[in-house]
Amino acid sequence: DLRDYRMEDKLLTVRLSVAKPFTSFSTVGIFNFADEERTLTLSLREDLGLMGDGFHIYDIFEKEYGGIEAEAITVTLAPHECRVLRLTPTSDRPTVIATSRHITGGAPDLIDLSYEGDALIGRSAVVKGDPYTMTIYDPKKGEITGITVTPDKTGEISWLYR
């Protein structure tokens, strides 16, 4: 569901809201059409319509975890640069904060997520020979873990994180 876009001072912001029965997150694209560097601060609540105690910020292109933010995010863009960020609500359980298959960080490829005790169990759609990484934040360990598989066939895989 494409929820919001706005163009202001040669900066375009686009937000895609993803809601599945087992997870929800937003992917935000920020585009600088100017010939000079620009810095943009977005309020999570007012500008992006996100409600919650905090959100994991993950840069899809750079494959970098940006920490947890509760109020706002600030992004500096080089001339004609684009950044794509996935914003995932925080949780007291292990949480998928991105996948590598799609620019949204998981919208088309995450098929299912569930928990058995402290274990996170998932199913993902994968492509033969294309390395697939699930980036998971574990609040008990306070760390990010990347799990990568290179499937030998196209289809679904099941996985488990403890």
Side-chain angles (χ1 to χ4, degrees):
D1 182 22
L2 189 59
R3 302 291 292 190
D4 181 39
Y5 69 92
R6 75 175 191 193
M7 180 76 152
E8 184 178 307
D9 195 28
K10 294 192 175 184
L11 287 168
L12 174 65
T13 305
V14 180
R15 180 174 69 94
L16 174 70
S17 179
V18 176
K20 294 187 172 201
F22 51 85
T23 191
S24 64
F25 58 90
S26 289
T27 301
V28 179
I30 307 165
F31 304 81
N32 179 9
F33 292 104
D35 292 328
E36 60 274 335
E37 181 177 279
R38 294 288 170 92
T39 299
L40 177 66
T41 298
L42 295 167
S43 164
L44 297 180
R45 184 174 299 250
E46 283 82 30
D47 295 322
L48 298 177
L50 299 176
M51 307 297 177
D53 296 330
F55 293 84
H56 296 280
I57 311 300
Y58 188 83
D59 187 314
I60 299 294
F61 291 154
E62 299 297 325
K63 299 178 177 76
E64 289 180 354
Y65 180 62
I68 297 172
E69 295 294 338
E71 301 295 325
I73 55 173
T74 299
V75 178
T76 299
L77 298 146
H80 306 282
E81 181 182 16
C82 167
R83 300 272 298 278
V84 177
L85 306 174
R86 178 172 152 167
L87 288 71
T88 307
T90 56
S91 171
D92 61 352
R93 301 174 109 178
T95 303
V96 174
I97 59 170
T99 69
S100 63
R101 169 109 189 268
H102 191 265
I103 194 170
T104 60
D109 51 290
L110 283 174
I111 298 169
D112 191 35
L113 295 172
S114 62
Y115 294 94
E116 282 187 20
D118 288 337
L120 173 61
I121 301 166
R123 287 187 307 125
S124 297
V126 295
V127 176
K128 178 182 178 179
D130 183 26
Y132 179 72
T133 301
M134 295 147 291
T135 303
I136 298 170
Y137 179 79
D138 188 328
K140 290 184 179 175
K141 296 177 183 174
E143 65 184 26
I144 300 293
T145 300
I147 301 169
T148 302
V149 296
T150 303
D152 57 2
K153 64 181 179 176
T154 296
E156 292 183 15
I157 60 167
S158 296
W159 51 268
L160 174 109
Y161 170 82
R162 287 191 196 272

